[in-house]
Amino acid sequence: MPDEPPFDLAGCLERVRRNDQQAARELVEHLYPLVIRIVRARLPRRVPEEDLAQEVFLKMFSRLHQYQGSVPFTHWVSRIAVTTCIDHLRAQQRRPEFRWADLSENEANLLDAVMTNERAVAPDDALEASELVHKLLNQLKPDDRLVIQMLDLEQRSIAEISEHTGWNTTLVKVRAFRARRKLQKMFRELQRKERT
Amino acid sequence: MTPEDKVWQNLVSAARSVRDDRTTAAPYGFATRIVAQAFAAESRPAPMLLDRFCWRALSVAGLLAVAGVAANYTVGLRSEEEMPLDETAVTAVFDIS
């Protein structure tokens, strides 16, 4: 089976600028995997992923005339997706305090075991660990959450985060530091409180 | 590394091992719907923009009106206090006392 030719992004953008709707559809289909991965990783509660992806693409088309080509187009779209998710996360009410009661039985058992034994999580518990990590991340400010998620979960470098968010590297480091401090505080609080 | 950092690193390294097997292809008709909306928004007539700004203008006007009433309320109270008890606004204006 012959390989598909690489997508001509520059040519496609040129056609979209000339109001070619077929090119615009091709652009959406080409960028959808990138956008949906960003949206899924930072999806706010109660917001369907498709609605958020739709919002990202509509913003992309409405701001297309602002794109000057100083950064790769995919980075520019990533920034739109990231800021759209952050705006939705900011609009959500965060819980003032994280409690044991917020966790399912399995998550609470896992956290208890990890905190008391400081042992590695068993492969069978990976799904609970993932849920738990996301619940903890939800307690952070959206900007801090994004940085720590990209650093620790997606294992991106500071420079990569800077490219995808448009924030300078110092700001990324400050946000990472703030997020880690908040996480440490949360763990200490949980350890201090009796599990009910 | 603090014990809390160690707990966090244990959890995230387990979370990283969870694979997301969901499809990343655009749902059927998604691109068509987006493009139709995007191109319809581009050809939106000017009065629609005017509608948007009208609401802002209305809220600014409302705020100014409230501020105006508040500013003049204290002035009105003061001038009422300064007016002698046997004078009403009518007698003061037409000087018929």
Side-chain angles (χ1 to χ4, degrees):
Chain A
M1 210 173 103
D3 285 343
E4 268 188 44
F7 186 74
D8 176 18
L9 190 56
C12 185
L13 275 176
E14 205 44 55
R15 282 161 57 214
V16 173
R17 286 195 166 116
R18 290 198 304 266
N19 288 334
D20 182 339
Q21 296 203 13
Q22 177 58 34
R25 281 193 289 273
E26 286 168 14
L27 185 65
V28 171
E29 272 163 15
H30 174 70
L31 292 171
Y32 190 85
L34 167 83
V35 170
I36 205 68
R37 277 195 204 103
I38 294 173
V39 163
R40 279 176 186 163
R42 295 151 190 94
L43 191 66
R45 296 184 302 272
R46 296 183 296 275
V47 181
E49 61 182 34
E50 210 179 299
D51 288 3
L52 215 52
Q54 176 173 323
E55 198 178 323
V56 172
F57 281 112
L58 289 176
K59 279 185 187 171
M60 180 193 81
F61 282 118
S62 69
R63 296 174 189 174
L64 200 57
H65 61 280
Q66 294 171 7
Y67 175 65
Q68 304 293 329
S70 56
V71 289
F73 188 70
T74 47
H75 289 185
W76 185 75
V77 175
S78 294
R79 288 180 192 181
I80 295 177
V82 163
T83 47
T84 305
C85 291
I86 286 181
D87 288 346
H88 277 270
L89 287 166
R90 277 197 190 124
Q92 285 184 349
Q93 196 77 35
R94 278 184 303 124
R95 290 195 81 106
E97 189 189 9
F98 190 67
R99 302 165 308 176
W100 282 104
D102 295 323
L103 304 175
S104 69
E105 186 64 29
N106 288 345
E107 289 164 0
N109 288 339
L110 174 67
L111 184 60
D112 211 2
V114 176
M115 285 203 304
T116 50
N117 304 330
E118 291 184 16
R119 63 165 176 86
V121 178
D124 290 351
D125 294 331
L127 206 60
E128 269 85 35
S130 173
E131 291 284 321
L132 186 54
V133 163
H134 282 94
K135 281 186 180 172
L136 291 163
L137 287 172
N138 278 340
Q139 295 298 305
L140 302 176
K141 285 183 182 166
D143 299 345
D144 300 350
R145 170 192 162 159
L146 176 76
V147 169
I148 211 76
Q149 195 168 0
M150 288 176 110
L151 265 178
D152 288 353
L153 272 178
E154 296 165 24
Q155 295 191 298
R156 289 175 193 255
S157 67
I158 300 274
E160 276 179 303
I161 298 172
S162 176
E163 273 173 9
H164 277 83
T165 56
W167 300 330
N168 65 46
T169 51
T170 313
L171 186 59
V172 173
K173 285 178 192 167
V174 168
R175 286 186 168 148
F177 175 76
R178 205 163 56 187
R180 291 199 196 287
R181 220 170 41 180
K182 167 90 183 179
L183 284 167
Q184 286 171 359
K185 195 179 161 199
M186 262 193 285
F187 284 125
R188 277 198 297 270
E189 289 283 310
L190 282 169
Q191 254 171 341
R192 197 170 51 82
K193 281 175 193 160
E194 189 114 339
R195 187 180 154 186
T196 51
Chain B
M1 192 187 269
T2 65
E4 292 85 16
D5 284 335
K6 213 170 169 187
V7 172
W8 174 248
Q9 289 306 330
N10 271 340
L11 289 173
V12 284
S13 62
R16 273 200 300 269
S17 68
V18 176
R19 281 186 54 195
D20 189 350
D21 292 331
R22 289 174 290 179
T23 177
T24 55
Y28 182 74
F30 180 84
T32 308
R33 197 172 69 238
I34 295 295
V35 171
Q37 280 189 44
F39 280 69
E42 267 179 27
S43 57
R44 192 178 287 169
M48 291 293 279
L49 273 176
L50 195 66
D51 284 352
R52 234 179 94 192
F53 288 113
C54 272
W55 286 108
R56 280 191 193 167
L58 191 66
S59 54
V60 171
L63 277 175
L64 285 174
V66 171
V69 168
N72 287 305
Y73 182 70
T74 50
V75 175
L77 277 181
R78 218 180 304 132
S79 61
E80 232 172 67
E81 282 165 10
E82 284 164 5
M83 196 180 285
L85 282 174
D86 58 338
E87 274 188 8
T88 62
V90 176
T91 56
V93 170
F94 294 105
D95 196 20
I96 53 173
S97 59

